[in-house]
Structures are given as C-alpha cells and as structure tokens.
Amino acid sequence: MKHSLKQIDPKTARIIEKEKRRQLEGMELIASENYASKAVMEALGSVFTNKYSEGYPGKRYYGGQPFTDAVENLAIKRAKKLFRAEHANVQPLSGAPANMIVYSAILKPRDKVLGMDLSHGGHLTHGHPVTLAAKIYNFVRYKTKTDGLIDYKELEKIAVREKPKLMLAGFSAYTRQMDYKRFCDVAKKVRAVSMFDMAHIAGLIAGRVIPNPVPYFDIVTTTTHKTLRGPRGGMVLCKKEFARIIDKACFPGFQGGPHMNNIAAKAVAFKEALEPSFRKYAKQILSNAKTLERELRRYGFKIMFGGTDNHMVLIDIFGSKGVSGKEAETVLDEIGISINKNMIPDDPRSPTDPSGIRIGVPAITTRGMKEKEIKQISKWINEAIENRNNKRVLRKLRKEITKMCRRFSVPGI
Ligand code: DSN
C-alpha cells in the first residue's frame, strides 16, 4: 500500500524537495520570514488537522473535544505568560484576519480609524484603499517626519481633528522604536480604542529586547510566524474588558472552525519563545540588524528612518544606487539572496517598482549567522548591485553564497 507523499504524489513531493533545497542553499533576507522548528512543524502536521472545533474551550459546537480544549488552553496560557496579556485569542488564521476581527469588534461601517501611511512603514491591512477594510471603514493617516521618527505632534493634531474611534499603531517596514505611552495618551485624550499590530516585532518583544506594548494598548494583534518563529497564524491579545467582543468577533463573527493543528503549533512556538535561548536569539537579531545597517551605509546605501532599532532596514536604493526596488530584487534573486522591493516614505515611484528594498535578518539569525557573516553578506549585496549587468560576477557570487549557506543548517529541515 502506498503511504508516503513521494509514493502517493511524486509531483508535489518533488516540488517540496526543490523548495527545501532553495531554503537550504539560499540567503533568506525577507524581513517577515523565518524557519519554524521541527517541533513546530510536527505539531502543524499532526492529527489535529482532522478536527473541527467551532467555539471555544468548554463551549464547542461539535463533540469529541477533550484534546482540542487541552491544546487551545495550553496555547492561551503560554501566550498570556509570554506577553503578560490579560486575554488571548489564538484562533485568528493570520495577521490580516486578526486585524479584521478587531475592526469588526470595535467599529461600525464608516467609523474612523487613524493608522500609519503604508509608504511610511504601515501595512496594507491598516486601511490601504485596495483592502476590504478600507471599503467598510474610514481610514485617515499619520506619517513620519524627515528624521524618520513618527511625528507625534502631527499625530495628536490629526487625532483631535478627526476623532477616530480606533487608533492603530504598528508597521511592516518601519524600523524605529515607537513611544507607546505617547501614542496611547493621544488615544485616551480623544477617547479612541488603542490598537497595536506587533506582527513584525513579536519575537523581539517575546525575547525582551524591545519593550512590550501589551500593558499600554487596549488591543494587540500579531502573526505567530515572522520573528516569533511559530507556524503561520495570528493572535489577538487584549485587556479583559475587550475579551468578550473580540472572541465573538473572531467566532462566529469572522471565522469558522479554528485550525487546531495550527493552534497546537502555536503552543509549541510559545513554549520555545519562553526559553532563555530565545532571548539570546532576539538579542542576536538586533545586533545583526545593526551590523547590516552600518555595513550597508558604508557601501553608500541610503538607510531610511535614520537607522534601525529592530530586525530590518529599509533602503532607498533608487536614491542611492540608481537601481529600482524591483531591479534590485531581481538581481539579488539571481545570486540566491531573497529580499523584497518596498515603498519608501512618499515614494514617487509605483508600488510594483518602488524606490526601496527591505532587508531583514530573523531567518539567517535562526541559522546561526552573526556579525562576521552579515559583513560578508553586505559586501555581496553591494557587489551584486554594482555589477548587476555582469553575469560572470553574478554567477561567482551565487556560488559563494551557496557555499556559505551550506555551512549553516536550517533547524526545521
Ligand atoms: N507579508 C508580511 C510582510 O512581509 O511584512 C506582512 O503582511
């Protein structure tokens, strides 16, 4: 009888093998990516994928739930401990659903939300006009100043003028530490609910190298992959007073049956993130990102927002090297380095071929790369951009990068 993936579906198995090899031999510098551990992947591929469990522990709509309740309660308990949260909902399927769940819990159609401009580091799901959220709710924007820091004075002015019902902090390309208290004081002043989307930096918060926003904000959303290094998924943390409406908005409001295999994997990831070794990992991420910032600056790359306080850098590559974000992404792909093109503040170019690129270090830090490797990687990035039309140089770089990657194992593979 056929059992293995290779026997049942050799085509899919081959594609997976190729992806495995790409991940092993490539340099993963996409700021939102990481490598989940073998334990996380084991839970993800477990029998919990077979189980439907609409509802919450102790209040399910289907029978056969003693173990789904046990695993969901475990994930909730660990999430609350990790982030010192009063309430955790671990059912959101990912970051975008987590944000929609909060919007639908707090807002009525056409209510106003104050969120960060996408080109200034915000996220699509924070109300970009192309999203469903923007069709339902009314988003207004705040931005950063030319020194790269959030313009809190302007933020307060906009909040007082617009009287939003929800004030949303958090970002996917902003690289500086924000002032949680100042933001939440403005939200209190205008009687808005405060929300923080910590998806990118959750692992740095769990590792205690970045301040925890949970005590300050009414509601905090996150993904569980990225720097947190769990399975692809989402989560909402909130103060007790919001617990009931958040849970109701998640199920039955927005989602159906939770993915219990994913919740089991979240429980594993939270356990890993509670270990002292995760603090060491988070510390190394910050150090690697600082080295990357310093080295790239040395090679003449223009670093946006005045530098980095987290796991990534945003570069105006068109402004500093005359190469568009899309072109840079293609050239670096050719040598085995994955990054992504990205808008820079008030980018005059189009989102499909912007002026910037975003580079992050969580994945290579998981592989054990440190300052010495980051220096080499920065050199390779510069060499590739400078020699973007020279196929011979690009081929040579690809070989060198593969060689270095082979020296660093990927924990989950
Ligand atoms: N796709 C993630 C990122 O790259 O930031 C967030 O949606």
Side-chain angles (χ1 to χ4, degrees):
M1 213 163 123
K2 290 178 173 180
H3 284 299
S4 75
L5 174 63
K6 213 165 158 185
Q7 289 166 324
I8 290 171
D9 184 353
K11 266 192 191 157
T12 303
R14 259 199 307 278
I15 296 171
I16 292 174
E17 278 310 310
K18 281 185 186 163
E19 173 61 12
K20 207 186 268 181
R21 188 158 170 196
R22 187 195 69 81
Q23 291 193 16
L24 274 169
E25 295 185 348
M27 194 67 76
E28 188 49 73
L29 294 175
I30 291 178
S32 48
E33 292 190 18
N34 212 333
Y35 304 104
S37 70
K38 211 153 187 110
V40 164
M41 292 209 277
E42 209 177 299
L44 205 49
S46 71
V47 290
F48 273 122
T49 197
N50 301 332
K51 188 70 194 124
Y52 254 124
S53 50
E54 279 95 332
Y56 289 98
K59 291 168 279 182
R60 305 279 187 191
Y61 286 82
Y62 291 62
Q65 305 290 347
F67 307 114
T68 47
D69 280 9
V71 86
E72 186 165 348
N73 278 329
L74 188 61
I76 290 170
K77 192 173 145 209
R78 287 176 179 167
K80 283 165 69 177
K81 186 170 174 199
L82 192 56
F83 295 106
R84 284 172 280 141
E86 291 178 15
H87 179 75
N89 186 314
V90 295
Q91 293 194 3
L93 301 176
S94 202
N99 287 346
M100 279 306 275
I101 285 161
V102 177
Y103 300 153
S104 66
I106 304 297
L107 306 167
K108 292 196 187 65
R110 287 181 291 284
D111 272 350
K112 214 172 261 179
V113 186
L114 180 54
M116 198 186 209
D117 191 278
L118 177 70
S119 78
H120 286 245
H123 188 252
L124 264 182
T125 60
H126 300 174
H128 190 276
V130 297
T131 61
L132 174 64
K135 293 183 176 73
I136 304 175
Y137 310 111
N138 180 7
F139 284 84
V140 282
R141 308 257 147 247
Y142 62 93
K143 294 184 172 188
T144 55
K145 293 183 287 182
T146 45
D147 65 3
L149 300 181
I150 291 171
D151 192 340
Y152 293 98
K153 272 197 187 144
E154 186 65 16
L155 171 88
E156 183 164 353
K157 242 198 240 165
I158 301 171
V160 169
R161 187 183 69 222
E162 300 286 345
K163 297 182 189 58
K165 195 157 177 194
L166 181 69
M167 273 181 60
L168 171 52
F171 16 79
S172 61
Y174 186 59
T175 55
R176 306 306 302 272
Q177 178 57 38
M178 76 167 294
D179 187 339
Y180 303 145
K181 183 173 179 312
R182 197 154 173 201
F183 186 96
C184 291
D185 282 348
V186 175
K188 273 191 201 113
K189 182 173 170 182
V190 299
R191 298 204 177 150
V193 173
S194 57
M195 169 181 173
F196 188 85
D197 178 347
M198 65 170 181
H200 261 266
I201 54 174
L204 302 175
I205 293 161
R208 311 257 170 112
V209 294
I210 275 190
N212 184 6
V214 172
Y216 295 90
F217 287 80
D218 294 318
I219 304 170
V220 174
T221 57
T222 187
T223 48
T224 49
H225 40 290
K226 301 195 176 85
T227 48
L228 196 49
R229 217 162 59 179
R232 301 191 80 89
M235 173 163 72
V236 182
L237 305 170
C238 63
K239 302 271 185 258
K240 268 206 178 100
E241 60 185 289
F242 293 96
R244 202 184 58 82
I245 56 166
I246 290 292
D247 286 355
K248 224 172 129 199
C250 176
F251 176 83
F254 190 69
Q255 292 187 172
H259 295 180
M260 292 313 300
N261 56 325
N262 205 284
I263 288 175
K266 285 175 191 174
V268 177
F270 299 154
K271 180 169 193 294
E272 289 175 345
L274 281 161
E275 301 289 335
S277 57
F278 198 84
R279 289 197 195 178
K280 241 173 105 184
Y281 166 62
K283 214 167 147 201
Q284 189 63 51
I285 289 181
L286 286 197
S287 170
N288 283 353
K290 269 281 164 220
T291 306
L292 184 72
E293 173 200 327
R294 201 181 49 241
E295 290 298 304
L296 290 177
R297 210 193 286 280
R298 215 161 59 78
Y299 288 116
F301 289 86
K302 184 178 175 196
I303 312 286
M304 302 308 294
F305 305 125
T308 182
D309 300 321
N310 57 32
H311 59 295
M312 59 186 164
V313 292
L314 183 69
I315 295 163
D316 176 3
I317 196 151
F318 191 72
S320 47
K321 298 280 176 180
V323 182
S324 75
K326 187 177 169 191
E327 208 185 335
E329 184 186 291
T330 308
V331 169
L332 294 176
D333 240 340
E334 232 177 284
I335 62 165
I337 290 183
S338 302
I339 53 104
N340 67 281
K341 54 184 170 294
N342 213 97
M343 306 270 276
I344 59 165
D346 300 321
D347 204 324
R349 298 179 61 88
S350 85
T352 51
D353 191 9
S355 303
I357 56 171
R358 189 185 64 164
I359 309 184
V361 297
I364 56 168
T365 308
T366 292
R367 293 182 85 158
M369 295 188 194
K370 297 199 168 123
E371 290 75 5
K372 183 171 158 234
E373 286 75 33
I374 302 290
K375 282 184 189 169
Q376 181 59 58
I377 292 165
S378 308
K379 188 164 175 269
W380 281 327
I381 290 174
N382 184 52
E383 229 178 311
I385 298 297
E386 299 287 340
N387 294 280
R388 57 194 172 278
N389 297 318
N390 187 334
K391 293 284 172 202
R392 194 184 54 77
V393 173
L394 296 182
R395 269 198 306 275
K396 173 188 85 86
L397 295 180
R398 167 131 217 163
K399 272 193 198 145
E400 290 172 9
I401 287 164
T402 307
K403 199 168 154 203
M404 185 201 272
C405 287
R406 283 203 185 119
R407 285 183 23 234
F408 292 86
S409 61
V410 173
I413 300 181

